[in-house]
């Protein structure tokens, strides 16, 4: 197995889990430890990417550009990355983040919408950035479709394409097929980003590496959206046991996870019934809060609503389906709506 490049996204995916409340002091403390540990890439931005601080995505307590600036100033060896979702972010935020000093931009779209990324890959390359494609909700399409989408991104100038298991819905065979298909189709790096809704974040990441992935993601203590991500410290521990030397200092990561990140958690990151339902149904975790409200209001189960949304292939932006589904389920049960 080759030595993967590790990106820690505690300060981006983890931003969802702390309700966008990171402070400059917290960013400084986390970047300092990750950098000293030797983590090569550290991602910092609103959880939904640059310019995500809105009523729809949730307002941030501090300007993400201030947080990115702190990260750039603190890191001695690590590259600072940001996430960019076309439609949420615009060229102007991408330019500003590049000016502040990020080195890597990760451009994320639903996994059938690669065609909207062309202008942003081209701009990223003009700005001298490393550009990574992020195919979100990769469980929802077969490997062949992902490979076509990834090839489009490669043609726009991407340096790496990630299979992103946004809903934590993939099992190991699904990861293997998808990563292998991208490895066969592309001549650039392939990455894998896990969520833990089925309890498989670490196992799936190792499977991705066995299938040839070059880059992987983690977050300290698994802090991330939904059931969280693959914990960076556990990934390094497991890779050490497998004699894959990432060069990252495990002791520093364990201390940072325990002493800096664990105290930030409002609730522990666990695979509870609701997170498991969302992963099992393959529904993105941003639906969960609204599904919980609808379930309570109409007297139906969260898992029943999730199952139906999964059957309808709901993707981010279709949250308005939740009420229709809850009402239909309640009516079927003869409940008053
Ligand atoms: C809204 C962006 C999203 O959180 C990206 C990501 O990490 C994922 O899809 O898992
Ligand atoms: Mn994620």
């Amino acid at each position: 197995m080759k030595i993967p490049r590790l990106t820690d996204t505690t300060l981006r995916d983890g931003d969802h889990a702390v309700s966008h409340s990171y402070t400059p002091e917290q960013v400084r403390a986390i970047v300092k430890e990750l950098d000293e540990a030797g983590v090569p890439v550290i991602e910092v931005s609103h959880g939904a990417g640059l310019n995500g601080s809105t009523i729809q995505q949730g307002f941030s307590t501090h300007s993400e550009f201030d947080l990115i600036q702190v990260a750039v100033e603190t890191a001695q060896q690590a590259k600072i990355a940001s996430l960019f979702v076309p439609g949420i972010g615009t060229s102007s935020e991408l330019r500003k983040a590049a000016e502040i000093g990020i080195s890597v931009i990760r451009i994320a779209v639903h996994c059938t919408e690669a065609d909207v990324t062309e202008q942003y890959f081209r701009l990223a390359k003009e700005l001298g950035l490393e550009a990574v494609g992020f195919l979100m909700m990769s469980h929802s399409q077969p490997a062949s479709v992902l490979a076509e989408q990834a090839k489009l991104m490669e043609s726009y100038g991407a340096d790496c394409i990630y299979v992103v298991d946004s809903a934590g819905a993939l099992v190991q065979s699904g990861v293997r097929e998808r990563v292998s298909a991208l490895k066969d189709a592309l001549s650039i790096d392939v990455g894998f980003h896990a969520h833990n809704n089925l309890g498989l974040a670490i196992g799936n990441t190792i499977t991705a590496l066995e299938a040839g992935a070059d880059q992987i993601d983690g977050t300290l203590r698994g802090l991330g959206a939904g059931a969280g991500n693959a914990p960076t410290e556990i990934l390094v521990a497991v890779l050490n046991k497998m004699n894959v030397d990432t060069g990252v200092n495990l002791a520093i990561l364990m201390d940072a996870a325990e002493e800096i990140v664990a105290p930030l958690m409002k609730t522990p990151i666990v695979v509870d019934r609701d997170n498991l339902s969302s992963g099992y149904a393959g529904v993105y975790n941003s639906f969960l809060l609204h599904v919980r409200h609808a379930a309570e209001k109409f007297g139906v189960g969260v898992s029943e609503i999730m199952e139906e949304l999964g059957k309808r292939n709901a993707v981010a932006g279709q949250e308005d389906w939740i009420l229709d589904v809850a009402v239909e389920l309640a009516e079927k049960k003869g409940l008053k709506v």
Side-chain angles (χ1 to χ4, degrees):
M1 189 187 288
K2 65 171 79 82
I3 295 173
R5 184 173 85 164
L6 180 56
T7 294
D8 183 279
T9 178
T10 309
L11 292 168
R12 200 282 302 164
D13 213 314
D15 180 66
H16 292 295
V18 299
S19 311
H20 323 292
S21 65
Y22 279 126
T23 64
E25 293 69 34
Q26 289 164 349
V27 170
R28 190 172 295 112
I30 292 171
V31 170
K32 182 172 174 290
E33 297 305 310
L34 290 169
D35 186 63
E36 269 176 27
V39 172
V41 185
I42 301 171
E43 189 174 50
V44 185
S45 69
H46 186 283
L50 295 175
N51 203 34
S53 178
T54 57
I55 192 159
Q56 290 87 359
Q57 311 296 331
F59 287 113
S60 301
T61 316
H62 290 81
S63 144
E64 68 187 335
F65 293 120
D66 290 350
L67 301 182
I68 292 168
Q69 176 100 48
V70 168
V72 168
E73 284 167 7
T74 307
Q76 301 289 307
Q77 61 75 30
K79 292 181 175 178
I80 300 301
S82 288
L83 188 81
F84 180 87
V85 180
I88 295 179
T90 68
S91 306
S92 129
E93 289 85 41
L94 185 48
R95 286 179 194 281
K96 185 152 181 200
E99 252 167 51
I100 295 173
I102 63 163
S103 326
V104 182
I105 190 75
R106 307 211 295 175
I107 301 176
V109 287
H110 182 70
C111 61
T112 53
E113 292 173 357
D115 58 341
V116 306
T117 62
E118 178 167 9
Q119 61 171 307
Y120 302 108
F121 276 111
R122 305 237 183 260
L123 175 60
K125 298 316 293 178
E126 262 173 55
L127 295 168
L129 299 175
E130 185 183 326
V132 174
F134 229 51
L135 292 171
M136 294 192 287
M137 299 288 279
S138 278
H139 74 279
S140 67
Q141 297 297 321
S144 56
V145 172
L146 293 184
E148 279 165 26
Q149 295 289 309
K151 276 190 83 64
L152 276 182
M153 286 178 158
E154 181 178 36
S155 75
Y156 305 151
D159 298 295
C160 170
I161 312 290
Y162 265 67
V163 172
V164 179
D165 186 14
S166 309
L170 284 171
V171 297
Q172 274 138 314
S173 52
V175 174
R176 197 174 299 114
E177 281 167 21
R178 286 164 176 77
V179 171
S180 302
L182 264 60
K183 283 301 291 180
D184 290 346
L186 305 175
S187 48
I188 52 175
D189 274 8
V190 173
F192 182 71
H193 172 99
H195 279 273
N196 201 36
N197 298 62
L198 295 175
L200 290 174
I202 292 287
N204 280 350
T205 307
I206 301 301
T207 299
L209 291 174
E210 285 168 353
D214 309 279
Q215 303 193 22
I216 53 172
D217 283 8
T219 61
L220 291 169
R221 199 70 169 220
L223 189 76
N229 300 86
T232 305
E233 66 281 12
I234 301 184
L235 274 177
V236 170
V238 171
L239 289 169
N240 284 351
K241 286 275 186 187
M242 295 170 70
N243 294 320
V244 178
D245 183 8
T246 54
V248 175
N249 184 311
L250 176 60
I252 297 179
L253 290 186
M254 290 198 293
D255 288 348
E258 193 73 21
E259 289 161 22
I260 304 177
V261 174
L264 299 180
M265 291 181 170
K266 295 187 172 136
T267 51
I269 298 279
V270 287
V271 187
D272 60 14
R273 182 177 54 187
D274 293 353
N275 281 320
L276 176 56
S277 303
S278 123
Y280 190 61
V283 175
Y284 188 55
N285 47 55
S286 66
F287 279 61
L288 192 52
L289 201 59
H290 308 290
V291 169
R292 278 194 188 124
H293 289 151
E296 201 177 321
K297 182 165 178 195
F298 295 102
V300 293
V302 166
S303 57
E304 293 174 285
I305 302 179
M306 284 293 186
E307 188 185 343
E308 188 53 35
L309 289 168
K311 281 189 196 146
R312 296 183 191 191
N313 295 321
V315 298
Q318 292 171 325
E319 284 84 349
D320 53 318
W321 291 3
I322 295 170
L323 282 185
D324 297 344
V325 167
V327 168
E328 277 173 36
L329 288 169
E331 280 173 348
K332 265 194 209 148
K333 288 176 178 217
L335 299 171
K336 203 163 160 253
V337 290

